[in-house]
């Protein structure tokens, strides 16, 4: 009645370390509070009527993924002159039949990314995927007709990244809207980014142990 060792190793080898006990034994009690309790759809989410402002700086961000529980993901974002970021779309796939080049082709097809425009810059990506970054730089070799991608390694500091997102989520009186209410530096088009919103809501730390909080949370 037990699964094979081969299946066990293959399946749980793809599950991120902080989630393994949860998937193996349902130990939700091993997790502490939400990392982003500041996230509030009422102030951080935009509806479909929102249009991309002119003269914004556009960027993409890629997580290469590694299986069913860790899908390939790409976010499309732009920043205005006041320093506010708008995440206006996502691509999210754990289809095992799709190759990395298939994913990159879909990312290219979703929005034009003119390399000569001053408003469209580098795509940031998980620095562990050096092979994929090299493949993206030679897209025309693998997918004739597709432009090469300028992909740069992102900084992978977990806690630094968490603190920066918290900073972006915090409303700032200097960015008050027409109603005078402080606005955050990060907003998301809700209907186009359901997976991002789900992860913002479900992201948790492990409970403190003798050595403190787990930095892999």
């Amino acid at each position: 009645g037990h699964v094979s060792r081969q299946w066990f190793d293959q399946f749980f080898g793809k599950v991120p370390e902080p989630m393994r006990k949860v998937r193996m034994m349902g130990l939700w009690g091993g997790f502490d509070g939400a990392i982003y309790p500041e996230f509030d759809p009422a102030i951080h989410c935009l509806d479909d009527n929102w249009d991309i402002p002119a003269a914004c700086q556009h960027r993409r961000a890629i997580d290469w993924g590694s299986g069913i529980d860790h899908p390939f993901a790409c976010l499309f974002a732009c920043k205005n002159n006041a320093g506010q970021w708008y995440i206006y779309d996502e691509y999210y796939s754990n289809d095992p039949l799709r190759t990395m080049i298939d994913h990159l082709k879909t990312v290219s097809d979703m929005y034009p990314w003119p390399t000569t425009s001053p408003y469209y810059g580098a795509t940031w990506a998980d620095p562990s995927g050096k092979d994929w970054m090299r493949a993206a730089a030679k897209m025309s070799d693998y997918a004739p007709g597709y432009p090469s991608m300028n992909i740069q390694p992102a900084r992978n500091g977990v806690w630094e990244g968490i603190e920066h997102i918290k900073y972006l989520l915090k409303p700032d009186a200097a960015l008050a809207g027409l109603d005078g209410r402080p606005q955050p530096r990060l907003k998301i088009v809700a209907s186009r980014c359901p997976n991002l919103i789900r992860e913002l809501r479900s992201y948790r730390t492990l409970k403190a142990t003798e050595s403190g909080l787990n930095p892999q949370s």
Side-chain angles (χ1 to χ4, degrees):
H2 294 81
V3 299
S4 70
R5 169 57 64 177
Q6 180 182 9
W7 182 93
F8 182 93
D9 290 341
Q10 288 179 346
F11 180 84
F12 286 105
K14 296 175 182 177
V15 177
E17 181 63 34
M19 289 295 295
R20 284 184 188 159
K21 288 187 178 180
V22 174
R23 297 303 299 270
M24 289 180 189
M25 295 174 281
L27 295 181
W28 289 105
F31 284 81
D32 222 334
I35 289 205
Y36 299 120
E38 306 92 338
F39 178 71
D40 180 356
I43 63 172
H44 294 111
C45 289
L46 299 162
D47 60 32
D48 285 337
N49 295 324
W50 178 84
D51 291 321
I52 298 174
C56 276
Q57 295 290 322
H58 293 255
R59 299 292 185 269
R60 295 177 297 205
I62 288 176
D63 185 343
W64 303 107
S66 60
I68 297 297
D69 290 280
H70 188 187
F72 179 100
C74 179
L75 299 178
F76 297 81
C78 63
K79 182 171 71 170
N80 64 19
N81 292 332
Q84 287 177 293
W85 281 99
Y86 302 96
I87 302 178
Y88 55 85
D89 214 338
E90 68 176 26
Y91 169 64
Y92 192 94
S93 176
N94 56 12
D95 184 346
L97 299 180
R98 303 212 80 198
T99 68
M100 197 62 70
I101 296 300
D102 289 334
H103 292 313
L104 294 175
K105 287 169 64 178
T106 299
V107 167
S108 291
D109 288 338
M110 287 179 68
Y111 294 92
W113 211 262
T115 56
T116 57
S117 171
Y119 298 113
Y120 289 81
T123 297
W124 297 314
D126 181 348
S128 66
K130 293 183 175 62
D131 290 342
W132 304 127
M133 285 190 270
R134 285 192 290 268
K138 301 185 292 183
M139 275 287 285
S140 59
D141 292 347
Y142 300 103
Y146 282 83
S148 297
M149 290 185 174
N150 175 18
I151 296 187
Q152 301 296 324
R155 285 190 301 228
N156 240 10
V158 174
W159 296 113
E160 179 186 4
I162 288 171
E163 284 302 312
H164 188 65
I165 295 300
K166 284 178 170 290
Y167 163 76
L168 295 176
L169 291 172
K170 185 176 181 180
D172 186 344
L175 300 173
L178 296 176
D179 59 2
R181 296 168 63 183
Q183 295 293 307
R185 297 175 181 85
L186 177 66
K187 293 202 170 191
I188 304 166
V189 179
S191 63
R192 299 180 203 158
C193 304
N195 295 291
L196 173 60
I197 290 172
R198 173 178 53 79
E199 293 193 1
L200 282 170
R201 285 173 157 171
S202 62
Y203 200 21
R204 297 285 192 273
T205 55
L206 291 175
K207 284 185 177 178
T209 63
E210 293 179 1
S211 58
L213 286 174
N214 189 329
Q216 295 180 329
S217 59

